[in-house]
Amino acid sequence: MARSCEHPAALHAGAAPVHASATVGARFWLLVEHPGPWGPYLDDAPLPDAIRTLVDRASALGIRPQLIRRPGRRKAPDAPLHVFVASSAGSDPWLAEAFLDDPDDLDLGSLVHGVVPGSCILVAEPMFLVCTHGKRNACCARLGLPLARFLDENLPGEVWETTHVGGDRYAANLVCLPHGLYYGSMSQAAAIAAANAYRHGEVVLDRFRGRAGIPEPLQAAEHFVRLRTGELSVGGVAVESSRSEGDATVCVVRCTTRRGTSRFRVVVEPAVFMASCGSVCADEISTYRLAELRELTEAHA
């Protein structure tokens, strides 16, 4: 049975902060086309043997497995095993695709070293994932399914429904691969704006959760530098170093624009936001607030 949505409506409408909430443990991805059924959790879902082999192998290697399917369409039962692999790590992420006769034909060990497996071919176009995992949370299906169909109509061939991506409180969730950019609480207008921006190498700060695989305080530091500078290019802002000082995280963040490169000292601290539906229900959201942001001179960079 699908878990009902227990989160206040403000979370799904974009009224609550979503920054610094992208899934930290997703630097490498395995995406396997499987029309379903999707159980609540992949580790105990009833899956065909070949898919189970790949999901278990990926999980053991620290690769994030996702099941995917085309919005409104189903894969032919006798079709070969269709997979994508992606590396979101570093400054040169990539996405690759393969059709396999045997799961052993996919070298996932190469993936964790950032190398494209020999059975895969690089994909030039981006990939957009919309979580529609209703068996995990009812809101993911209620909000995600119409969003996936809308995006598929506007970006044919680039959109997939997927299993849980993390943060069902932010449904509808959108993930842009290969960079692993997360967006939450997405309306149709917000989603198409984010997808089109990504196709041009940029982010949209509205409802931007952050980049997967990066610790949450560092996601927050990058977010606040983007807010200060207005720099939206995907690779234009990145944390170069960080350290903890009590509860705070101190970062040096590089920002590269057409005018050159600047560096900022950014200090972020944990914070709590209470989202309320206006009656008795409320949700406590862990987030980050900006404690300090200043540009460094060359002597201090």
Side-chain angles (χ1 to χ4, degrees):
M1 178 180 295
R3 183 165 62 88
S4 62
C5 184
E6 301 171 349
H7 306 303
L11 288 172
H12 300 309
V18 302
H19 67 273
S21 64
T23 299
V24 173
R27 300 174 72 245
F28 304 104
W29 302 73
L30 167 70
L31 310 141
V32 185
E33 184 175 3
H34 178 53
W38 294 347
Y41 298 91
L42 292 192
D43 55 2
D44 59 4
L47 297 174
D49 290 345
I51 295 178
R52 169 55 60 197
T53 296
L54 285 177
V55 166
D56 290 348
R57 190 177 298 162
S59 298
L61 290 170
I63 298 167
R64 184 175 184 90
Q66 300 280 148
L67 303 180
I68 59 174
R69 61 190 175 204
R70 289 291 191 189
R73 300 188 297 279
R74 294 295 179 259
K75 176 184 174 184
D78 57 347
L81 193 59
H82 184 202
V83 304
F84 292 86
V85 291
S87 171
S88 296
S91 59
D92 191 23
W94 51 263
L95 174 69
E97 180 180 25
F99 293 89
L100 308 171
D101 294 320
D102 190 301
D104 290 337
D105 294 338
L106 182 63
D107 180 11
L108 291 176
S110 296
L111 176 57
V112 295
H113 291 96
V115 177
V116 180
S119 57
C120 298
I121 298 175
L122 285 171
V123 175
E125 295 299 317
M127 183 178 195
F128 300 102
L129 305 178
V130 178
C131 179
T132 60
H133 199 171
K135 286 287 184 70
R136 184 68 174 261
N137 186 282
C139 282
C140 294
R142 179 174 62 85
L143 300 173
L145 281 168
L147 181 63
R149 290 167 184 158
F150 168 79
L151 286 177
D152 184 55
E153 291 171 0
N154 288 273
L155 299 168
E158 298 180 14
V159 180
W160 297 81
E161 297 178 23
T162 192
T163 47
H164 180 66
V165 296
D168 52 37
R169 63 172 55 178
Y170 302 115
N173 281 297
L174 172 69
V175 180
C176 308
L177 290 176
H179 283 82
L181 306 185
Y182 269 58
Y183 288 89
S185 306
M186 297 301 274
S187 65
Q188 291 184 355
I192 197 65
N196 284 331
Y198 184 59
R199 290 173 59 84
H200 291 90
E202 294 186 340
V203 301
V204 174
L205 290 184
D206 180 36
R207 311 189 190 196
F208 180 48
R209 292 180 57 189
R211 184 171 175 180
I214 300 175
E216 291 172 349
L218 278 58
Q219 294 180 38
E222 291 184 2
H223 175 81
F224 291 124
V225 169
R226 289 189 186 277
L227 283 177
R228 171 69 65 88
T229 64
E231 179 54 39
L232 299 178
S233 63
V234 172
V237 175
V239 173
E240 291 189 332
S241 64
S242 65
R243 69 177 187 276
S244 297
E245 290 187 358
D247 290 337
T249 302
V250 182
C251 303
V252 173
V253 182
R254 169 188 53 76
C255 179
T256 302
T257 69
R258 295 176 182 176
R259 298 185 299 274
T261 299
S262 303
R263 287 174 173 79
F264 296 84
R265 171 186 161 91
V266 186
V267 182
V268 298
E269 297 175 342
V272 173
F273 177 90
M274 295 300 298
S276 172
C277 68
S279 56
V280 296
C281 63
D283 206 2
E284 183 177 290
I285 304 172
S286 297
T287 184
Y288 291 86
R289 73 172 190 90
L290 179 64
E292 178 186 340
L293 195 161
R294 62 181 173 87
E295 187 171 358
L296 297 172
T297 63
E298 187 173 338
H300 293 93

